[in-house]
Amino acid sequence: MGEVDPSFIQAIEHRPKIISGLEAGGIPLIDLSPLLSSDSLEGYSKDHPQAILDLVEEIKAACKDWGFFQIINHGVPYDALRRLQTAAKEFFDLPLEEKRKVRRDEENPLGYYDTEHTKNVRDWKEVLDFVVVDPNMIPLSPEPDDQRMRVMNNKWPEYPSDLRDACEEYCRAVEKLSFKLLEVISLSLGLPAKRLNGFFKDQTSFIRLNHYPPCPTPHLALGVGRHKDAGALTVLATDDVGGLEVKRKTDGEWIRVKTIPESYIINVGDIIQVWSNDRYESVEHRVVVNSERERFSIPFVLNPSHYQMIKPLEELVDEEKEPARYKEYNLGKFISARKFSNFKKLIVENVQITDFKISK
């Protein structure tokens, strides 16, 4: 990426504080061992083992207080992650002209990209995106009356030759973990374990391979600017470099998430915030970079089908005591607007769930 172009420079109030070794505690660390012996929590009741009851309460508190938590003993084979990390590095080490052979565009927003913007400021990163269900579809445009659809196909590079297999193997394992977490989150909201599963029949979930090169001015730029995830649930694998920062709800301070070997970082996204009618909140986070080491991460984003209308769940709404706080919105149109904005710097803020907030 060479010299720092002005397009990377954050506004003064959003620039990171570069303090060597700063890692604040507080992000809950949750042991998922009780889930490993259970294929499903369907039929969950207060008669379940205490370990399961405790786990549901732990995740409930984490979602409410932080919107983030880390997990260990999650059941995803470490070899599957290492294989994908190795293939990802081999891909990002390729010459730029090779990587751009699978470059995404406005026709198909999947593949390689190195000029993404967050909050209208360019991110110091390059990415490779794949959908879990290939091919996939989203609306052609965010316009409400436009019924045309866009087909999205994964763009697999010729090299490394095993990247596709590595990605698909890893995807199967993390997808299974994601649905187990979704069941626990559903239970934590007082709903049946599989209450949310039906929204994902034709899922638009995706995996992103992130590469953050060393940055000569890490005090001016960000790997990813401050944002909230638009999906339902994100399962993030990262290396030992670190750089993820979460905005603490209690005081608005940016907290560096400590890297823990063989763990995953989980956060609830905007969709769960809407479904839960603000019981849980999607929390702002960002990625800082450094001048010495490159960083890799792999988020798996669990997304419902494009035709789903996202709104507060009826079981969590009471017209008198707890009225719905959001108008419904179509997920596909929402995704289409987000994808379009990634290709250019906009004059206005990108679409957000706050645009659908119902005024009190």
Side-chain angles (χ1 to χ4, degrees):
M1 289 185 173
E3 295 298 322
V4 175
D5 186 275
S7 63
F8 290 106
I9 298 177
Q10 296 284 328
I12 293 174
E13 64 271 24
H14 299 305
R15 293 175 187 173
K17 297 178 182 178
I18 306 300
I19 303 175
S20 179
L22 177 63
E23 285 185 332
I27 304 295
L29 179 63
I30 298 176
D31 188 338
L32 291 190
S33 296
L35 285 184
L36 297 183
S37 59
S38 174
D39 290 332
S40 172
L41 293 176
E42 192 172 13
Y44 166 90
S45 73
K46 297 301 181 183
D47 296 327
H48 269 66
Q50 189 61 44
I52 294 290
L53 304 179
D54 292 343
L55 178 61
V56 172
E57 290 303 312
E58 278 189 89
I59 288 182
K60 179 178 182 178
C63 291
K64 182 179 179 182
D65 298 339
W66 282 92
F68 271 81
F69 54 96
Q70 288 179 274
I71 56 172
I72 55 174
N73 297 323
H74 40 70
V76 177
Y78 186 60
D79 287 347
L81 173 60
R82 287 295 302 150
R83 182 186 178 199
L84 181 54
Q85 288 175 325
T86 299
K89 177 170 173 50
E90 290 176 0
F91 172 78
F92 287 120
D93 283 344
L94 292 173
L96 184 59
E97 59 269 22
E98 283 297 313
K99 291 182 284 191
R100 285 183 171 172
K101 288 180 179 179
V102 290
R103 192 175 190 270
R104 74 191 197 194
D105 51 42
E106 293 190 40
E107 293 301 316
N108 183 4
L110 297 175
Y112 175 77
Y113 205 56
D114 61 351
T115 55
E116 192 164 80
H117 290 74
T118 302
K119 304 293 185 184
N120 294 324
V121 180
R122 189 174 168 188
D123 296 329
W124 190 269
K125 69 177 182 187
E126 53 183 347
V127 306
L128 191 62
D129 287 338
F130 309 102
V131 285
V132 172
V133 178
D134 182 23
N136 213 300
M137 293 201 311
I138 60 171
L140 183 64
S141 81
E143 299 302 321
D145 296 330
D146 190 346
Q147 301 300 311
R148 295 173 297 169
M149 299 298 295
R150 179 198 311 274
V151 177
M152 300 189 299
N153 294 97
N154 288 335
K155 295 182 178 180
W156 300 107
E158 292 184 18
Y159 182 84
S161 59
D162 66 336
L163 186 135
R164 178 174 183 170
D165 287 343
C167 192
E168 292 178 345
E169 176 191 20
Y170 178 77
C171 175
R172 288 190 294 270
V174 180
E175 182 183 26
K176 182 178 179 180
L177 168 63
S178 299
F179 278 105
K180 282 197 172 187
L181 289 169
L182 195 69
E183 289 187 10
V184 179
I185 289 172
S186 184
L187 291 171
S188 76
L189 289 167
L191 303 170
K194 291 188 177 293
R195 172 64 177 89
L196 305 176
N197 291 42
F199 292 107
F200 298 87
K201 180 181 178 183
D202 299 307
Q203 60 180 306
T204 54
S205 305
F206 67 94
I207 284 182
R208 164 167 286 188
L209 308 181
N210 283 319
H211 175 227
Y212 305 95
C215 178
T217 55
H219 58 292
L220 298 179
L222 287 168
V224 183
R226 72 197 192 284
H227 68 285
K228 297 183 178 184
D229 287 357
L233 190 71
T234 301
V235 180
L236 176 69
T238 187
D239 58 18
D240 64 343
V241 177
L244 177 66
E245 294 188 340
V246 175
K247 195 171 187 179
R248 188 163 53 193
K249 292 175 66 175
T250 55
D251 58 9
E253 284 293 319
W254 288 103
I255 303 302
R256 183 75 56 87
V257 178
K258 184 178 181 180
T259 57
I260 299 175
E262 299 188 42
S263 71
Y264 284 95
I265 301 167
I266 312 297
N267 65 286
V268 297
D270 289 346
I271 291 173
I272 284 182
Q273 178 171 330
V274 174
W275 280 341
S276 73
N277 207 29
D278 281 348
R279 286 167 174 80
Y280 297 157
E281 182 184 352
S282 176
V283 173
E284 268 195 329
H285 50 289
R286 66 186 186 183
V287 175
V288 300
V289 288
N290 64 65
S291 60
E292 298 177 357
R293 297 185 65 188
E294 62 182 348
R295 177 178 182 264
F296 296 90
S297 70
I298 306 174
F300 175 101
V301 181
L302 187 66
N303 267 344
S305 49
H306 71 84
Y307 49 76
Q308 291 294 342
M309 299 301 295
I310 308 301
K311 62 181 180 178
L313 299 172
E314 57 185 16
E315 301 96 317
L316 303 180
V317 171
D318 183 297
E319 290 188 9
E320 294 184 0
K321 297 180 180 179
E322 194 65 45
R325 301 187 181 189
Y326 297 90
K327 297 176 288 186
E328 68 177 10
Y329 64 92
N330 174 261
L331 180 61
K333 293 293 186 181
F334 191 95
I335 292 174
S336 182
R338 284 290 187 96
K339 294 293 186 185
F340 176 77
S341 73
N342 287 340
F343 289 96
K344 56 191 67 181
K345 182 175 180 177
L346 303 180
I347 298 174
V348 297
E349 173 68 62
N350 201 352
V351 62
Q352 306 287 336
I353 59 168
T354 52
D355 296 334
F356 304 96
K357 190 87 171 180
I358 296 175
S359 300
K360 292 184 180 180

